[in-house]
Amino acid sequence: MTETVETGETGRGDGGSGRGFLLFLRDLAVIFLVALLISFLVKTFLIRPFWIPSESMNDTLQVDDRIIVSLLTPTVFAIDRGEVVVFEDPGGWLPEPQQEEETGLVGAIDWFLTFVGLAPEDDHGYLIKRVIGLPGDRVQCCNEFGQLTVNGVPIDEPYLHLDLAGQPASSMSFDVTVPEGHLWVLGDNRNHSGDSRAHMDAPGGGFVPIASVVGRAVLISWPVERWTWLDSYDSSFVGVEPQGAAVARELPLVVPG
């Protein structure tokens, strides 16, 4: 025997279909709002898209690449050497933005899509570099072979992009010890990157506060032909022993405004 479901309809012609259409619109609106909520939560606590505007991380990242950044680093997972991280400007690393923000309907749509995580962040206020030194590390350049050393161990950097083969890993010599709660970061396009070296004379000494780290770049999502997971090159830092405090694993979530 076939079961029936009571609909509560009285069979008054078009009234039932009209009410059904309104219910359909209501359900569609609920689904849309739930999807936006999920997208916002994912963007706030799990992953976030960003856009690459400069050549400082060539060839690992190229201009106009879109990347996915995991927000679980450093809030859940500790930062490791070799990882590519996005961080807020520690202060004075970036010039004041010259581009005027979109206004009107276009600006509202752009803001909304960015807010819910459906559009990548622009470059205003954020930088992306590779972590070379953790708290307590002594980072030097260069040894007699033109290599960086971390705590006295030479670093092989297969991700490095230099203007000419055989050039040292940095055209600028340095010898720094990373303070507690900070990082030493460098660009892969080493001779064309305004990284920690370029700000050694600034108030922060070129060090990036861990609290300013937004997350770890894990994936190139666009263009399709460049889709790839980003390597942290753990093997490059094998043998490097920690010299100071470990990176804190429990830090407040940095949610850029």
Side-chain angles (χ1 to χ4, degrees), residues 3 18 29 42 59 86 137 143 145 147 178 198 209 222 230 235 241 257:
E3 297 288 342
V42 167
D59 290 324
V86 171
D137 284 347
N143 64 13
F145 301 105
Q147 297 170 294
V178 186
W222 189 264
L230 292 173
S235 59
E241 298 294 334

Side-chain angles (χ1 to χ4, degrees), residues 221-251:
S221 59
W222 189 264
V224 174
E225 62 270 18
R226 285 186 43 74
W227 192 99
T228 185
W229 295 102
L230 292 173
D231 197 337
S232 61
Y233 292 94
D234 297 341
S235 59
S236 294
F237 297 88
V238 170
V240 177
E241 298 294 334
Q243 299 294 305
V247 178
R249 291 182 178 269
E250 295 183 4
L251 290 171

Side-chain angles (χ1 to χ4, degrees), residues 138-140 143 147-156 235-241 243:
R138 183 180 182 184
V139 187
Q140 299 168 278
N143 64 13
Q147 297 170 294
L148 291 179
T149 64
V150 180
N151 301 332
V153 178
I155 303 303
D156 178 31
S235 59
S236 294
F237 297 88
V238 170
V240 177
E241 298 294 334
Q243 299 294 305

Side-chain angles (χ1 to χ4, degrees), residues 182-254:
H182 291 74
L183 305 169
W184 182 261
V185 299
L186 299 176
D188 289 357
N189 191 6
R190 197 60 55 80
N191 294 328
H192 304 277
S193 175
D195 46 39
S196 288
R197 300 166 301 166
H199 302 280
M200 289 190 293
D201 294 331
F207 302 107
V208 176
I210 294 174
S212 295
V213 174
V214 177
R216 174 192 172 191
V218 295
L219 173 72
I220 300 175
S221 59
W222 189 264
V224 174
E225 62 270 18
R226 285 186 43 74
W227 192 99
T228 185
W229 295 102
L230 292 173
D231 197 337
S232 61
Y233 292 94
D234 297 341
S235 59
S236 294
F237 297 88
V238 170
V240 177
E241 298 294 334
Q243 299 294 305
V247 178
R249 291 182 178 269
E250 295 183 4
L251 290 171
L253 178 65
V254 179

Side-chain angles (χ1 to χ4, degrees), residues 31-90:
I31 293 171
F32 178 71
L33 291 174
V34 170
L36 288 182
L37 176 61
I38 293 173
S39 179
F40 174 74
L41 292 175
V42 167
K43 171 242 182 178
T44 303
F45 297 107
L46 295 179
I47 60 174
R48 194 167 187 176
F50 281 85
W51 165 65
I52 303 300
S54 73
E55 300 177 350
S56 70
M57 286 295 292
N58 279 5
D59 290 324
T60 304
L61 299 173
Q62 298 180 7
V63 174
D64 287 335
D65 278 353
R66 266 60 172 176
I67 61 171
I68 299 298
V69 172
S70 169
L71 304 183
L72 297 179
T73 301
T75 57
V76 176
F77 302 107
I79 298 172
D80 287 328
R81 303 179 192 91
E83 292 181 342
V84 177
V85 297
V86 171
F87 55 96
E88 292 181 307
D89 186 350

